[in-house]
Amino acid sequence: MKKYIRLFLFYSFCLFLSVSFAQKGSDNHLVYPKIHKRPTTEIHYGNKVIDEYSNLKKLEDSVVKDWFKAQDSLAESYFVGNDLMKEYLNRFKKLQNNAESSVSMIRISEVGNYFYLKYDDSLEYEKLFFRENLADNEKELFDPSQDGKEDLSITYLRPSFDGKKIAIGFNENGNFSSKVLIFDLEKKQILKDVITNINPDFGGIEWLPDSSGFIYLYFPEVDKSKPGYKKNSFSVIHKLGENPENRKPIFQANEDLQIPEDFYPKVKIGSSLDKYIIGYAASSDDYYDSYIAKIPDVLQGKPDWMPFFQNEDAIFYDQGEVRGEDFIFRQGNLNGNLLGKVSIKDPDFNNPIVLAEGNKENPIVKFEVTKDHIYFARSLYGANVSLYVQNSSNEIKQLQPPFDPGYASFFGESAKHNNIGVGMDGWTSDYTRYLINEDGSFSREALSPLLAYPEFENIITEQIMVTSHDGVEVPLSLVYKEGLKKKSANEVFIYVYGAYGESMSPFFSPLFLDWAAQGGILAFPHVRGGGEKGKEWHEQGMKNLKYNSWKDLIACTEALINLNLTAPGLISLYTSSAGGITAGMAVNERPDLYSSFIAEVPRLNPLGLESSSTASSTSYLEYGTVKDSTEFIGLVRMDPYLNVRSEISYPAVLVMPSYNDDRIPLWDSGKYIAKLQNSYQINNPFLMDIDYQNGHETVGDYDESVRLYSKIFSFAKSNMKH
């Protein structure tokens, strides 16, 4: 769940709209841009659904386009005149300057070469650096300006197994498609092999074991205005030196492989020693159908794909490793999950060799395999990680890291050696990378300096259990200053997600911790729909059970009030992406609980997207489809836009969509904000701040993140009602 905190959006100033508004302490008076309703009616299974602002789907219509630009200008004008925004900008710049000299996107080849990005203060962009090994001196490897690019932000790195080449990705203008270049370390130059129509978030470069080329997921249509957008993708094998335009499909839908057009046929190669390649029919589900082929056949361009594990085998798609003639994997079950092993030649996923087990409260969340060991992590309620190693004799030993992590991720592993590291952080512990020694001890990787944040030394955390509407206990993580008085005047900032089985894992962010340092409370409800208690926790917040997600959130909010930690009107609610359903519906049902609702690239009209003829994702696996009568009812029930009630008073609202979002179209947020602005209330601001530069998961630079979170927290703070 790291990606949500690193979604830094870039904001550009558009038209200036004359707007009058008051500063904190007075009622806001905003003149909203006008748009006429153009209602359409859909009837599904005898149920009538009225879409009042369906005209906003016509994004190329000049009237609609101008309305969106005016909305963005209104939001920008609001923040230009907000004194709190200026205070946050100044304070956040000082906090963020701490991190500017650190390295990012560290990648390690199988032979131990280090590749990483490092920010250049004078040039204000990142360059690619290289070390032969960790003890070697760093060398500047690639300056993105030498390629003549306007966009100098490197968004993807993947070194070959032998460390002699590295794939470098650039996302251009926030579009879905990226461009990947190949840098040859021996020739010290960019090769002519330019890969297009690729999106590393959906499937990046998988280097062939001999590093002679790679396989990648190719998208025939990357224009979101076209009907085939993101559909019918297939994996392509590319040998270095060949013409990238002469694409050779290696894994795709055909008569033998019945892969739906909106699934993604991608592959995984884990080591230069691998004798097999795994192909996945990828989707938004946790479990995939898979196929397996022999590497020599793949290299010849003639793989014989054989069925391997299936969706019903409950194998977590990203947690499987080929080791010789064995396949080691993470598998869900009724009690939680397990680490298992089967023979590739005769796999029996119903009766695997069980290596380790996790339960619902403390499931195994990830693992990696080295030459002789298996390392894995458990996560208690999604916020307290414990680490383990299993040796070749199947003996399991718990490791003792330097601090108790809330999040951990392994790196540097390979079937060729026993080297491995782990990156860890938590709500109050900065992300730090450690090497795990053979004896189980830890040594800091020391590639970047440890950053000191004395202003957060007295910040503490705790996790409490909250009883939800149906008696189920929901974990709630709290972060606040030591000695905080339990009084009803505390200001609370809630961050919630609750979808796709993604846990709200602890993360270290000075920009978030500032809220606690200023005397407020950070609250992170681990609601159903996430993965904090394993796959069942996810399933209890999916489709027709989605209501559990927002009712868990409401229960956690009420618990904060009942514990006398805060009061209605002093609770700001923040979310992103799919969390828009959870948070948006909580606001619809209990608007009295919240002072403001802030949503980044949010999903607010799921029925509209799932019923759209241009839908280009497998999100229906998470929310439901209009093609099923029961799931249709669930979609209507979970839709924040359709369930906006004009007769009640809503909190202040700030939605922050992206124009180039490949997953959630701009009209999703537009319809929601239009409905709020045209309701019968004028007490609170309802704003839409649009990012016209980036996409759903485009990462911005330091200044962009400072500006983004200055808006978020100043909006939250300025709309508190004491």
Side-chain angles (χ1 to χ4, degrees):
M1 189 53 190
K2 288 293 171 180
K3 58 188 177 185
Y4 61 82
I5 191 60
R6 293 163 171 74
L7 303 180
F8 298 144
L9 308 178
F10 180 78
Y11 294 88
S12 61
F13 289 89
C14 301
L15 306 172
F16 182 81
L17 183 69
S18 296
V19 179
S20 62
F21 54 89
Q23 296 298 320
K24 182 183 177 185
S26 303
D27 288 339
N28 292 288
H29 178 67
L30 299 169
V31 180
Y32 296 123
K34 296 297 183 182
I35 190 76
H36 292 294
K37 294 180 182 180
R38 295 287 187 269
T40 59
T41 301
E42 294 181 19
I43 299 178
H44 297 272
Y45 313 104
N47 298 281
K48 182 185 295 185
V49 178
I50 300 176
D51 184 353
E52 295 182 86
Y53 293 94
S54 62
N55 49 313
L56 291 178
K57 285 188 175 183
K58 299 177 180 179
L59 296 176
E60 297 307 313
D61 181 278
S62 60
V63 174
V64 173
K65 189 179 295 186
D66 289 344
W67 180 82
F68 275 108
K69 288 182 178 179
Q71 290 287 351
D72 183 57
S73 295
L74 174 63
E76 292 292 355
S77 299
Y78 173 91
F79 287 110
V80 166
N82 191 311
D83 290 339
L84 269 175
M85 169 75 174
K86 299 172 185 176
E87 293 177 18
Y88 273 101
L89 275 172
N90 292 331
R91 196 158 66 242
F92 282 4
K93 283 179 181 177
K94 294 177 182 178
L95 288 173
Q96 198 75 330
N97 283 341
N98 244 355
E100 287 196 6
S101 61
S102 63
V103 302
S104 63
M105 211 180 293
I106 303 170
R107 301 292 184 263
I108 308 172
S109 73
E110 196 172 67
V111 295
N113 309 138
Y114 270 75
F115 301 84
Y116 52 90
L117 302 181
K118 196 171 184 180
Y119 190 77
D120 189 308
D121 293 310
S122 60
L123 298 175
E124 297 185 337
Y125 61 83
E126 292 175 310
K127 298 180 181 179
L128 176 61
F129 286 82
F130 169 78
R131 295 187 188 216
E132 188 77 28
N133 54 63
L134 188 57
D136 188 28
N137 294 325
E138 73 176 16
K139 304 176 183 66
E140 183 180 315
L141 195 63
F142 177 70
D143 182 338
S145 66
Q146 72 189 51
D147 188 46
K149 292 179 58 59
E150 293 184 10
D151 185 354
L152 303 178
S153 298
I154 297 173
T155 57
Y156 176 74
L157 294 175
R158 186 67 180 266
S160 58
F161 289 115
D162 62 11
K164 295 180 180 179
K165 298 174 182 67
I166 183 167
I168 307 172
F170 300 87
N171 180 266
E172 298 179 327
N173 302 318
N175 293 327
F176 173 76
S177 178
S178 293
K179 181 171 75 173
V180 174
L181 309 178
I182 307 300
F183 187 89
D184 189 312
L185 276 73
E186 293 180 321
K187 296 180 179 179
K188 298 181 180 179
Q189 67 182 31
I190 293 289
L191 301 180
K192 294 182 180 180
D193 312 60
V194 179
I195 306 302
T196 59
N197 292 59
I198 180 175
N199 184 309
D201 289 331
F202 286 75
I205 296 294
E206 291 291 321
W207 285 95
L208 298 174
D210 61 2
S211 299
S212 64
F214 46 82
I215 298 174
Y216 69 97
L217 185 65
Y218 173 77
F219 289 89
E221 185 55 72
V222 294
D223 184 343
K224 64 181 179 181
S225 67
K226 301 293 180 60
Y229 175 54
K230 289 200 301 185
K231 296 180 180 179
N232 297 306
S233 58
F234 54 90
S235 284
V236 171
I237 186 168
H238 174 76
K239 296 292 187 68
L240 295 176
E242 296 181 351
N243 184 353
E245 297 300 316
N246 297 331
R247 299 179 183 88
K248 300 175 183 177
I250 203 77
F251 183 57
Q252 66 185 115
N254 54 38
E255 292 180 359
D256 297 322
L257 307 180
Q258 299 296 318
I259 301 174
E261 65 174 3
D262 50 1
F263 280 44
Y264 310 109
K266 58 185 183 180
V267 305
K268 180 177 180 180
I269 304 173
S271 165
S272 66
L273 299 180
D274 282 7
K275 300 177 182 178
Y276 301 91
I277 181 173
I278 308 294
Y280 302 91
S283 68
S284 62
D285 197 0
D286 288 330
Y287 307 141
Y288 297 166
D289 289 338
S290 76
Y291 303 84
I292 191 166
K294 294 180 179 179
I295 289 290
D297 295 339
V298 172
L299 294 176
Q300 293 175 17
K302 299 178 180 179
D304 181 18
W305 293 105
M306 302 297 293
F308 199 38
F309 58 80
Q310 302 301 299
N311 183 285
E312 55 267 24
D313 292 320
I315 309 299
F316 286 90
Y317 71 93
D318 59 343
Q319 296 283 297
E321 296 291 339
V322 173
R323 286 298 180 261
E325 295 295 330
D326 292 329
F327 182 69
I328 301 171
F329 54 90
R330 186 165 66 103
Q331 183 178 38
N333 59 29
L334 294 176
N335 298 317
N337 58 18
L338 59 82
L339 287 185
K341 181 171 70 173
V342 297
S343 166
I344 290 176
K345 292 183 178 180
D346 185 26
D348 184 355
F349 291 102
N350 291 322
N351 297 286
I353 296 174
V354 178
L355 304 174
E357 294 185 272
N359 56 41
K360 294 179 181 178
E361 290 74 25
N362 197 18
I364 296 171
V365 291
K366 58 192 63 182
F367 79 96
E368 294 295 347
V369 184
T370 65
K371 182 172 178 288
D372 300 308
H373 308 311
I374 299 174
Y375 292 82
F376 64 94
R378 292 190 177 102
S379 180
L380 180 64
Y381 298 132
N384 300 282
V385 171
S386 50
L387 304 174
Y388 304 84
V389 60
Q390 183 180 65
N391 61 25
S392 55
S393 300
N394 293 329
E395 298 171 327
I396 297 176
K397 172 186 175 182
Q398 183 170 354
L399 302 174
Q400 302 299 323
F403 63 89
D404 295 328
Y407 169 84
S409 181
F410 298 108
F411 63 83
E413 70 287 339
S414 170
K416 295 187 71 171
H417 54 68
N418 285 323
N419 301 331
I420 193 170
V422 62
M424 303 183 296
D425 67 349
W427 299 125
T428 59
S429 302
D430 196 3
Y431 178 78
T432 310
R433 289 165 60 101
Y434 294 91
L435 304 178
I436 305 176
N437 303 314
E438 280 280 346
D439 62 358
S441 61
F442 291 75
S443 303
R444 196 169 74 83
E445 187 183 52
L447 194 61
S448 58
L450 281 175
L451 303 177
Y453 295 94
E455 57 266 63
F456 304 136
E457 289 179 354
N458 63 343
I459 303 298
I460 61 175
T461 67
E462 69 169 316
Q463 190 175 68
I464 62 175
M465 303 302 289
V466 174
T467 302
S468 191
H469 69 105
D470 55 357
V472 171
E473 288 195 324
V474 180
L476 172 62
S477 294
L478 302 176
V479 181
Y480 53 86
K481 186 184 292 186
E482 189 174 12
L484 177 86
K485 294 182 179 179
K486 290 190 175 182
K487 57 180 181 178
S488 60
N490 292 315
E491 296 178 346
V492 175
F493 187 87
I494 295 178
Y495 186 5
V496 70
Y497 187 69
Y500 291 107
E502 294 278 3
S503 297
M504 178 61 76
S505 300
F507 58 90
F508 181 84
S509 170
L511 305 188
F512 274 72
L513 287 175
D514 175 79
W515 185 272
Q518 299 301 318
I521 299 173
L522 293 169
F524 304 92
H526 303 277
V527 302
R528 278 172 280 189
E532 285 83 351
K533 292 186 181 182
K535 180 62 176 176
E536 185 180 0
W537 196 247
H538 175 204
E539 291 174 340
Q540 289 179 7
M542 289 174 59
K543 296 185 177 180
N544 287 64
L545 295 177
K546 187 63 190 171
Y547 63 88
N548 284 323
S549 299
W550 68 80
K551 289 187 179 296
D552 287 352
L553 170 58
I554 290 171
C556 288
T557 307
E558 290 177 328
L560 293 170
I561 297 170
N562 294 335
L563 290 169
N564 204 34
L565 290 172
T566 188
L570 299 179
I571 305 171
S572 181
L573 179 59
Y574 167 68
T575 191
S576 61
S577 193
I581 295 175
T582 299
M585 285 305 303
V587 170
N588 277 341
E589 289 200 2
R590 291 298 306 277
D592 57 299
L593 293 177
Y594 305 102
S595 55
S596 60
F597 169 39
I598 306 165
E600 249 186 290
V601 290
R603 186 180 293 272
L604 296 167
N605 181 210
L607 179 68
L609 186 60
E610 299 309 333
S611 62
S612 172
S613 61
T614 58
S616 56
S617 75
T618 57
S619 56
Y620 59 86
L621 297 173
E622 178 76 12
Y623 309 115
T625 173
V626 295
K627 297 177 182 178
D628 181 282
S629 60
T630 302
E631 292 182 2
F632 162 76
I633 298 300
L635 278 168
V636 173
R637 185 178 183 183
M638 74 175 71
D639 196 299
Y641 162 64
L642 293 178
N643 288 286
V644 167
R645 294 180 289 165
S646 60
E647 71 276 7
I648 62 175
S649 178
Y650 273 74
V653 175
L654 171 64
V655 294
M656 311 174 85
S658 170
Y659 181 80
N660 293 314
D661 198 323
D662 65 283
R663 304 181 193 181
I664 304 174
L666 185 59
W667 52 256
D668 187 292
S669 289
K671 290 198 288 184
Y672 176 80
I673 209 71
K675 197 169 184 179
L676 281 178
Q677 289 177 353
N678 287 279
S679 63
Y680 303 125
Q681 51 187 321
I682 58 172
N683 294 331
N684 295 313
F686 304 136
L687 301 174
M688 181 166 55
D689 194 355
I690 304 169
D691 176 5
Y692 278 95
Q693 302 298 319
N694 300 297
H696 191 76
E697 291 188 353
T698 306
V699 178
D701 62 20
Y702 298 106
D703 292 335
E704 292 164 14
S705 65
V706 164
R707 184 164 179 77
L708 168 65
Y709 286 105
S710 294
K711 288 181 176 180
I712 289 170
F713 283 105
S714 66
F715 190 84
K717 184 80 171 178
S718 61
N719 285 288
M720 291 291 174
K721 296 175 174 59
H722 286 271

